[in-house]
Structures are given as structure tokens and as C-alpha cells.
Amino acid sequence: MEEKMSEEVRETKESRNFIEEIIDKDIADGRTTEVCTRFPPEPNGYLHIGHAKSILLNYGLAKKYHGKFNLRFDDTNPTKEKSEFVEAIKQDVKWLGADYGDRCFFASNYFEQMYEAAVKLIRKGKAFVCDLSAEQIREYRGTLTEPGKESPYRNRSVEENLELFENMKNGMYADGEKVLRAKIDMASSNMNMRDPVIYRIAHIAHENTGDRWCIYPMYDFAHPIEDAIEGVSHSICTLEFEDHRPLYDWVVRELEYPHPPRQIEFAKMYLENIVTGKRYIKKLVENGVVDGWDDPRLVSISGLRRRGFTPQSIQMFVELSGVSKANSCSDYAMLEYCLREDLKLKKPRVMAVLDPVRLVIDNYPEGQTEELEVENNLENPELGKRLVPFGRELYINRDDFMEVPVKGYRRLYPGNEVRLMHAYFVTCTGVEKDENGQVKAVHCTYDPATRGGNAPDGRKVRGTIHWVNASTALPCEVRLFENLVDEEKGVYDKETGELNLNPHSLTILKNCYVEPALKDAKAPDSFQFVRTGFFCVDSRLSTPDHLVFNRSVPLKSSFRLPAVGKA
């Protein structure tokens, strides 16, 4: 029994990621008594799939260790921040299932404490007011191979620095005229430790504090203070902050917080050939290339939601992507796989015709309509059944008929018999064309004995096609999406740095039809359109009088999960 238990413990330990191993050790060593994590977005745009990884990782850790999870807005840069972004971020975090309860905070709530922290550093001789311009500070900073030069203002007295910093706070100087810098080491091999700027002047109103302040803390100074004030035990951030960790530790150490938070870095989530950078997404929105931050072609969380992705599918994707210290790229096809896996047993399978042509059953009684009982999902009987109307005239997809069939074609062509899904066998007898030679109607006969899709005499057909009843079908609009960028050219133009946009990223089909069972469909309802893919009702464009469906994901993909445990 003991041997079996030790094996289980070993397996559990081996399955933990490196962050959990660090937290386990901190708990064992007594460094941490309660785990507290946070997601700290800057409200200067909408969240994207990379943020989803951070949200779910931080929330998952808090939940696993029975700790706390904070949502905190790092609103220290009023030039780019909007309340619109704050509300959108709250919605996205909640939608993903990360419950922060009443623990929603703002960096701006701590501006007074940050100011006092800066004063404390000045009193300790660890910060000074500098009159160098931004350009001069960069020149004095040095290079990766050469040390920086000390500012001529570095050795001002404590008293002078206190007076100048108070004057900065009182609005006595213009933007950029002075800054407050930490006094660390201009010869440090880490550029972030070469007397970094920790406060700058910005005469601009703040969304939260109004005109109360005209000086604002820099992120690298504010962030560790926010974590320490909130009792964050582990500050989980992405790899680009690894070089900033010595400064993070310096701030909490010099300010003498009794329980300093610990910064841990992990690799960002990248998607191959997909635009994820907030700066690029913002540009696409501002230039009208997309119809907003929630455009279904974007991997913003709101865009994924509008396209029909579910929190569960994104959670699965994040889990499959894993947590590591090494940067890597995930395939968008894996994200689509996760959505299919989540939806395939949950959603009804309905018939929709996206490129309609009329099918006339010449020997079916005129004016007659019957109702066929159909399983909503053959793999999940719990979804029940529905009644589908059937009549003499139907719509089928145009590519389900071919006047001169190619080799291997199994659907309708003159003389061929196929199955109408859930209904009858029909045999093509002819075709009508318009003056341009375009097929406008296909004629056939049906076998009344094959109701339900099987022949009493045992004969088989090789093709099955779907349909909707012409007199009861609902007209709708369907929107199909491709990658926003041209994958053959790559995401970015190497010469200009601009995006290589795909001109065919959005296809709008106006004259589509769906079963009448969908008449009350509304966002976020989604369905599997048989033989086509998963579709959802568009949350922005769809109305009761004009249904609009977005294709969330096609039915098939070349993506497969790698085999586990095989040589």
C-alpha cells in the first residue's frame, strides 16, 4: 500500500509545472503561508488569447492552492487608457471563468502610497530628481558592452530632492522637464538597473483620479508596490520581464515590505501566422480593416467569443499548450480542435444550405408537407429530437448536383439515386437552366417506401445530401472566415513591418437557408451545420428578422494530438 501511494505522489509531483514546484518549495520553506496571484492588465486595449493563458494560469494557481486571485488594472499611463477597455477586460475575465469576487483593484488606488514610497527612497538616498532629457538619459545609459555615465544631478542632497519632487507633484514643471530616478548602479550589466526612471511628469487627467495628479509612476516601480500592498505571494509574468526581476526585487527590498512578493516568469503564448500583438490589433481596428476589437477574425477574447469559441475550449487549449520557460509557437488548428472537442456532443446538428439551388420532387403530392422526426445529435441522445418539415420543393447545396459528374462523384446527377438526409431516396431525372445556362432547378422522383432513409428491399445508395424545405426554410446570412493575414507571405512584410493582409479573410453569403427550428436562435447559440462546420449566431449583426451566423470552425482539420506513450 505504501509503495503504491508513493508512486501516486511521485506521479503527481512529476506532472506539476515548474511554477507549481517553486510554490510548493516556498510553502515548505515557510516563505509563503497563503498563495495570492493576480492578473494585471493595462487598460489600453482589449485582451487576446495570450492574456487568456495568463488569466487561467494565475486563477488556476490560486484555486489549486486555495488562495486568492486579484484582477488589478495597471492604470499608470493615462495617455492610452479608457474606461471602455476596463469594462471589456472585466467581461472577458469573468467569461473565461476566473472569479475574482470583490478583489478588483486599480494601481491608481495606490498613487498616494506610491508617492510616499518614492519619498522614502529619496530619504534613504536611493532616488534623485534628474533634469536630463529623455534623449540624454538614453545617451548616458551606455550599451550592453559599455557602462553608463552618472547623471550630473545624481548627487543632489536629500533635502533638494525632496523639494524638487514635491514641486513636480505640485505641477511646477512642464512635461519631460524633470524625472525621478532610482539610484542603483550605472555600471550594472543589467540595463534596467542603471538608475531607471521611476516617476515622470504628465499633465493629463486620469480616468480614475481626474486632475489629482500630474506625476505618474513608471510600471517597473509601480508594479512591485501594487503586488506588495495587495499581499500577492507570486507575481507570475511573461519572459520579457525576466531582466526586470532584479529591479522588482530591489524595489520591494528597499521599501522594506515584510512579505515581499516573488516574481516568476513563463513563456508567452504565440500562435503561428496569427496577429496577436495588441499594437497591431489596435491599428487594424483604428484603420477599419476589422469592424472592432471583437471582429471574429481576431484572436482577441471578445473576437473569439463572437466567433463562437467557448471558455471550455480556450481552457483546453491553454492546458494543451502547457507552461514552460521556453518560447514556442502553437498551431491555430489546435485551438480549432479544442472547440470541436468541446462542441461535438453539446450542440444539435441541423441542416443549412449555404449556396442554394431548388430541388423539385415531381412525384411528391403538391401542397403536402410532412414532418420527420430527427435526432438532434446522434452521439448524444440526451439532446432529444426535433421535427423537420419536408415537402415537394426543397433547397440543396449547388455543389450537391453535377450535370456531368467527375470520377468518384456520389451525389446528384442525371440518373443517379441518393439519400436525402433523414428523408427519402430520390433519383435525378432532369435539370432546368436559366438564359445564362445556370442551373435554377433540379428535378427528381422519390421512393415513398424509403421514408427515414432506408429501402425495404435492401438496396443501397452511395451518396447522402442534406436539404431544407423551401416553403418553411429561414433565410439567413452566413459569414465565413479565413486567416486575417496571408499565410504564404507570412504575418509581417519584412521591408515595411506592415501586416500581409489576406483580401479573402471574410466571405459573406447573403442567400442562405436554415431549418425553421432555428427561428428563435440568438447569440451566443451555436449549432453544427451538417457537413459544413460549427456556426454561432453573431452577437452584433443578427436580429430576429435577419439571422446572421458566423462559422466558428470547419468540421475537419489535419490537426491531430500527438500520440502519448508511443516510441
Side-chain angles (χ1 to χ4, degrees), residues 371-518:
E371 290 186 319
L372 306 172
E373 189 175 64
V374 175
E375 293 273 0
N376 282 324
N377 189 322
L378 289 172
E379 296 180 63
N380 184 4
E382 291 184 7
L383 291 184
K385 300 178 181 181
R386 69 185 185 282
L387 295 176
V388 179
F390 181 89
R392 187 173 187 267
E393 294 193 12
L394 313 172
Y395 289 120
I396 63 170
N397 271 320
R398 189 170 293 277
D399 63 4
D400 281 335
F401 170 78
M402 190 173 287
E403 192 171 9
V404 181
V406 296
K407 185 178 179 181
Y409 189 76
R410 297 182 178 182
R411 286 165 277 172
L412 269 181
Y413 55 86
N416 191 41
E417 186 175 47
V418 301
R419 176 187 294 105
L420 293 177
M421 186 176 286
H422 310 304
Y424 297 96
F425 287 6
V426 295
T427 302
C428 181
T429 59
V431 62
E432 287 182 54
K433 298 181 180 179
D434 61 20
E435 63 275 10
N436 298 316
Q438 179 88 348
V439 174
K440 66 176 185 179
V442 178
H443 286 262
C444 64
T445 59
Y446 86 117
D447 181 353
T450 59
R451 192 178 195 275
N454 292 296
D457 61 9
R459 74 182 188 277
K460 304 294 183 183
V461 292
R462 300 181 68 192
T464 298
I465 64 176
H466 66 279
W467 50 273
V468 291
N469 186 45
S471 64
T472 58
L474 296 173
C476 66
E477 178 183 309
V478 170
R479 299 162 73 85
L480 307 177
F481 307 105
E482 294 180 12
N483 197 337
L484 196 55
V485 297
D486 189 326
E487 294 185 29
E488 292 185 4
K489 294 180 180 178
V491 177
Y492 308 109
D493 185 297
K494 292 181 180 179
E495 293 184 3
T496 66
E498 296 297 316
L499 295 171
N500 289 318
L501 295 174
N502 172 14
H504 308 294
S505 63
L506 171 63
T507 300
I508 301 175
L509 306 177
K510 294 283 190 179
N511 302 308
C512 306
Y513 292 95
V514 293
E515 293 181 31
L518 276 62

Side-chain angles (χ1 to χ4, degrees), residues 57 148 199 214 236 271 276 341 344 430 438 478 493 504 513 540 548 559:
L57 172 60
Y199 258 94
C214 64
I236 315 299
L271 288 176
T276 54
E341 286 296 298
K344 66 182 182 181
Q438 179 88 348
V478 170
D493 185 297
H504 308 294
Y513 292 95
R540 183 121 68 91
V548 178
F559 177 80

Side-chain angles (χ1 to χ4, degrees), residues 13 19 119 134 141 238 245 302 305 353 401 452 462 546:
K13 185 175 181 180
I19 296 176
V119 169
R141 197 178 183 199
T238 46
R245 193 197 320 149
S302 57
R305 180 166 62 245
V353 176
F401 170 78
R462 300 181 68 192
H546 178 66

Side-chain angles (χ1 to χ4, degrees), residues 252-264:
V252 294
R253 183 174 62 250
E254 292 296 337
L255 293 176
E256 304 172 54
Y257 289 107
H259 303 290
R262 177 171 187 161
Q263 179 174 305
I264 307 171

